[in-house]
Amino acid sequence: MDDRSAVPLLIRALRREPVERTPIWIMRQAGRYLPEYREVRREADFLTLCRTPDLSAKVALDAVAALDVDAAILFSDILIPLQAMGMQVAFPESGPRIDNPVRCARDVAALRIPDPEDDLGFVAAAVRTLRQELAPDKAVLGFAGAPFTAASYMVEGRSSRDFLLLKSLLLQEPMTFHRLLEKVAEATIACVLGQVDAGAEAIQLFDSWAGCLAPDDYEEFALRHARTVFAALRDRGVPSILFASGAAGFLECMARSGADCIAVDWRVDLGEAWRRIGHDRAIQGNLDPIVLFGPPPAIARRARAILDAAQGRPGHVFNLGHGIHKDTPVDHARALIAAVKNAAAR
Ligand code: CP3
C-alpha cells in the first residue's frame, strides 16, 4: 500500500488491528496553551473561530504541526450544535453560558433538529479542509457532546457543582428529561453524520458530566441515548470513542454503549479498566493532565507505566484522561508525545 491509500494509525488502532506503535492525540490539543492559538484568538472571538471554516481548520492543523500527534480533532465545541437547536450560547471568560435554558416540556418541544448542511455547514467545511490539508497517515476526528452532557448544559445553562437543576428535572419529570435526551440524540446523529460525510474518519462523544450520576441513573439516562448515536455510526462503519470522566463506577455499562473504544480518566488503572471493559473493545487514555506540569523524566516514566498496563494489546490509543490544562508548558506536551512514540523502539 502506498502512503495515499494507507489507513491512518489511529483508525487501525481503534479497529484493534496490530500497529507498529501506540497512536497518541491529546484532548483539547488546539487551545489556549498553544501560542499559535492565542495569536489567532487576538483577532477573533471563540465563536467566530468555530464558525469560520478556514480559521477552525487552521487552529486544528497548527496543533498537529506543534505536537506531531496522530490525529487532528475538528475545532468546534460541544455547545455549537445546541446553538443550532435554538439555544442562546455565549462564551465569556468565566466559561460557557446558555441564556434560555430548558426547564420544562414546552422548552423541549420548541427545540429544533439542525440540518448538517443548512445549519452546520461551517462545521462540514472545516472538516473537508482538514482532510484535504492533513497528511494521509493522520486521522481526522469529529466529535460531539454525548446526549446526557449536552442536555445537562441545556438545563443548567452553565457548569455546575451539584447539578441541582438537572437532577431535579430528572427526578420530577423523568419523561420530559427522556424526551429532551431523545431530541438531543437525534440532533447529535445529524451532526456527527454530517461530519462523517465531510470526511471525519472517527467520532468521539464527550460525556464529560456523566460522572455525576449513580450507576443506575447512568444506565437509564446517559447510556441509553448514547447507544442511539453509536448505532447510527455503526451503520456507517465509522469507529467511535466514548469518553466520560469520573466513570470508574460504571465502566462495564460504558462497554455496552456500542462504542468501539472507551476513553477513561486517570482515577482508574488502565489495565484494570480494560479488563472491566473487556479486551474486545479498544481503550483510550489515561494520563492525568496535571502530570504535564512535572519534569519531562517524570512524564516519560508515567507514560511508560500506562503503556505497560496496556501490555501491548492491540487497541490502545494514548491520550490524557481529560483535556489539556490551559497553562501547560508546550515542551512538556511534546515530551509526552516523544516518550510514547519512542516506547515502541524499546
Ligand atoms: O483541540 C480541541 O479539542 C478543540 C476542540 C474542542 C473545544 N472544546 C474547544 C474549546 C473540544 C473537543 C471541546 C469539547 C468540550 N467543550 C467539552 C468536552 C471536553 C471536556 O473538557 O470535558 C466541554 C465540556 C466543552 C464546553 C466548554 N467549552 C467549556 C467548559 C469551555 C471553557 C473552559 C475551557 O476549558 O476553556 C469551552 C470553551 C472552549 N472550547 C475553548 C476551546 C479552545 C476555550 C475558548 C477560548 O479560546 O477562550
Side-chain angles (χ1 to χ4, degrees), residues 28-30 32 37 41 46 76-77 96 143 153 206 208 322:
R28 307 290 294 271
Q29 64 195 21
R32 286 163 298 182
Y37 178 81
R41 275 286 272 110
F46 178 68
S76 185
D77 197 86
F143 75 92
Y153 265 104
F206 287 91
S208 307
H322 205 162

